[in-house]
Amino acid sequence: MQTVLHAAAMVPLSIPSPSWSGFDIPLPWGTLRIHAYALCILAGIIVGLWLTSARWKRRGAPEGSLWDIAIWAIPFGIIGGRLYHVFSSPDAYFGPGFDGTGDLSLIPQIQRGGLGIWGAVILGVVGAWIGCRRAGVKLTAFLDAAAPGLLLAQAIGRLGNWFNQELFGAPTTLPWGLQIDPANANFPAGMPADTLFHPTFLYELLWNLAGVGILLLLDKKFQFRWGRLFWLYAVYYTLGRVWIEALRIDDAEQITLFGITTRLNVWTSIFVFIAALLIFVALGRLGRPVPDSPYLKGREPEKSVEKEPDAVTSVTSHDVDASVSDTGSRDNLRDNQSDPGHVDEPQDAAGRAAKDTTSAADATPAATAVRKAPGSSPKADDTK
């Protein structure tokens, strides 16, 4: 027991930040810097697409349509995420109070970090809409399939903040406090070097991973369609983002509403939460049918109608043969009968004769051809 306690005491009660943030690739004209932040974003996109691909395929979507949508949605999402970050944290780019002292050249430098999720979602949806129209599928069907994958991509992408030592929370004495290098530009001025901070990247990562499981379970049980799962994703994510965002101490645009001054992202999360919840409930009350086809109206695949000419020919041939065989046997019977009972039963004979006449009238020309073929009985021709 003492050994276990001693080992536990040796475990550092904090989360260290990585000293490694990327690597360089030598090129003839210099070096190419590969940032860990970019690798985390790329890994999130790949894993998110994998989950989305599996769900999109199960919904009966056309093969290859996911990539037709992704080539529009991903670039739009990255641009939108960057623009939202720039305008929600403008000091570094435009200067305090937009006084022009910022550095505009930093705006395209995504490798330094800074992607706002709401800008990524808004422009990403615009890109997805373009891709869906070109692929002939419904945007709402795609968003429902992509919602868990989007949340999974966000969870993995948050690791990039850890490598960049950015977007951490207020100081804390909790055992999972995050260490930040005092020499890092993001370390708050005036604080002791051994200060620990809330690892908000970890909080959001865990919140998002739990959300992926919740969305998958709820979708399996209720089979949400017509965009409802996407709006449920927005409800869940913003619910966590409000309290996680409130812990952060990095520079951000402050907005005062209803006498309360707080970060722009907090207000955005609150408004998106309310709007998403109302839309989710409203869509549920519409009572639209389930399942929902992923195809746009008029773009459904043509249903192939299988024709069976051989089977029809076979049935017709069989009927003709049966008529020929039946008629021929009865004709032969009448011409060669030796049973005196037939003479004593004129009504039965008359009935059979009428039946033979009907069969002969119904017989196809093919039957006539068979009877007139060489070698046919001349009596059968005479009877007809």
Side-chain angles (χ1 to χ4, degrees):
M1 184 64 178
Q2 291 181 347
T3 304
V4 173
L5 293 175
H6 179 71
M10 296 296 293
V11 175
L13 299 179
S14 62
I15 299 175
S17 287
S19 57
W20 178 85
S21 63
F23 58 92
D24 296 320
I25 298 178
L27 297 172
W29 55 85
T31 59
L32 174 64
R33 179 70 175 174
I34 304 297
H35 292 263
Y37 179 86
L39 294 177
C40 291
I41 298 296
L42 180 61
I45 292 173
I46 293 173
V47 176
L49 283 175
W50 165 78
L51 179 57
T52 301
S53 176
R55 289 173 50 78
W56 190 229
K57 184 177 180 180
R58 285 198 298 269
R59 299 206 172 193
E63 185 176 357
S65 60
L66 173 64
W67 310 111
D68 295 334
I69 300 169
I71 60 175
W72 289 92
I74 293 174
F76 272 61
I78 292 175
I79 293 172
R82 185 58 174 176
L83 291 177
Y84 182 88
H85 166 75
V86 168
F87 285 100
S88 63
S89 303
D91 289 359
Y93 311 100
F94 303 101
F98 293 88
D99 61 5
T101 60
D103 186 357
L104 295 177
S105 67
L106 295 176
I107 293 178
Q109 297 184 36
I110 271 183
Q111 70 274 11
R112 293 176 176 267
L115 289 173
I117 183 59
W118 297 121
V121 169
I122 293 172
L123 273 192
V125 168
V126 172
W129 176 78
I130 296 174
C132 286
R133 297 292 296 181
R134 294 170 65 89
V137 295
K138 295 177 182 176
L139 176 63
T140 54
F142 175 75
L143 292 179
D144 282 338
L150 176 58
L151 201 54
L152 181 59
Q154 290 175 231
I156 297 174
R158 275 301 173 195
L159 287 171
N161 299 140
W162 181 48
F163 283 100
N164 278 1
Q165 299 191 44
E166 62 181 359
L167 307 186
F168 45 83
T172 182
T173 57
L174 293 171
W176 55 80
L178 178 66
Q179 298 177 15
I180 299 295
D181 183 1
N184 190 287
N186 294 322
F187 192 90
M191 289 191 177
D194 59 351
T195 302
L196 301 179
F197 303 90
H198 278 287
T200 50
F201 82 92
L202 180 60
Y203 297 162
E204 187 167 334
L205 185 154
L206 296 176
W207 179 266
N208 290 350
L209 288 179
V212 173
I214 291 172
L215 290 180
L216 291 176
L217 288 175
L218 290 177
D219 190 42
K220 184 177 181 180
K221 181 175 178 61
F222 298 104
Q223 298 184 351
F224 292 118
R225 295 295 186 271
W226 301 98
R228 293 190 75 204
L229 191 67
F230 174 78
W231 292 111
L232 188 60
Y233 144 79
V235 168
Y236 177 85
Y237 177 70
T238 52
L239 187 62
R241 184 63 186 267
V242 167
W243 66 268
I244 294 172
E245 185 74 23
L247 292 174
R248 284 168 43 174
I249 58 174
D250 53 291
D251 292 335
E253 189 74 5
Q254 301 290 316
I255 301 294
T256 301
L257 292 173
F258 312 110
I260 301 174
T261 301
T262 188
R263 300 163 67 93
L264 172 62
N265 285 332
V266 173
W267 285 119
T268 302
S269 297
I270 291 173
F271 291 138
V272 172
F273 171 83
I274 295 172
L277 183 60
L278 292 175
I279 295 173
F280 175 79
V281 173
L283 289 175
R285 296 197 172 204
L286 289 177
R288 290 179 170 178
V290 175
D292 172 31
S293 169
Y295 291 92
L296 287 170
K297 187 176 181 179
R299 301 289 294 274
E300 299 90 349
E302 295 182 0
K303 295 182 179 180
S304 59
V305 179
E306 296 184 359
K307 298 182 179 179
E308 301 181 355
D310 294 337
V312 174
T313 304
S314 176
V315 171
T316 304
S317 176
H318 174 76
D319 292 343
V320 170
D321 292 341
S323 300
V324 172
S325 176
D326 188 51
T327 304
S329 64
R330 286 197 295 271
D331 289 343
N332 292 334
L333 179 60
R334 288 193 297 273
D335 291 337
N336 299 285
Q337 55 181 305
S338 58
D339 187 358
H342 289 282
V343 178
D344 298 333
E345 297 174 3
Q347 293 181 353
D348 294 342
R352 284 195 298 272
K355 185 175 181 180
D356 290 343
T357 303
T358 303
S359 299
D362 293 340
T364 62
T368 303
V370 170
R371 287 196 293 271
K372 290 184 178 181
S376 301
S377 172
K379 292 182 177 295
D381 292 337
D382 294 341
T383 302
K384 182 179 177 182

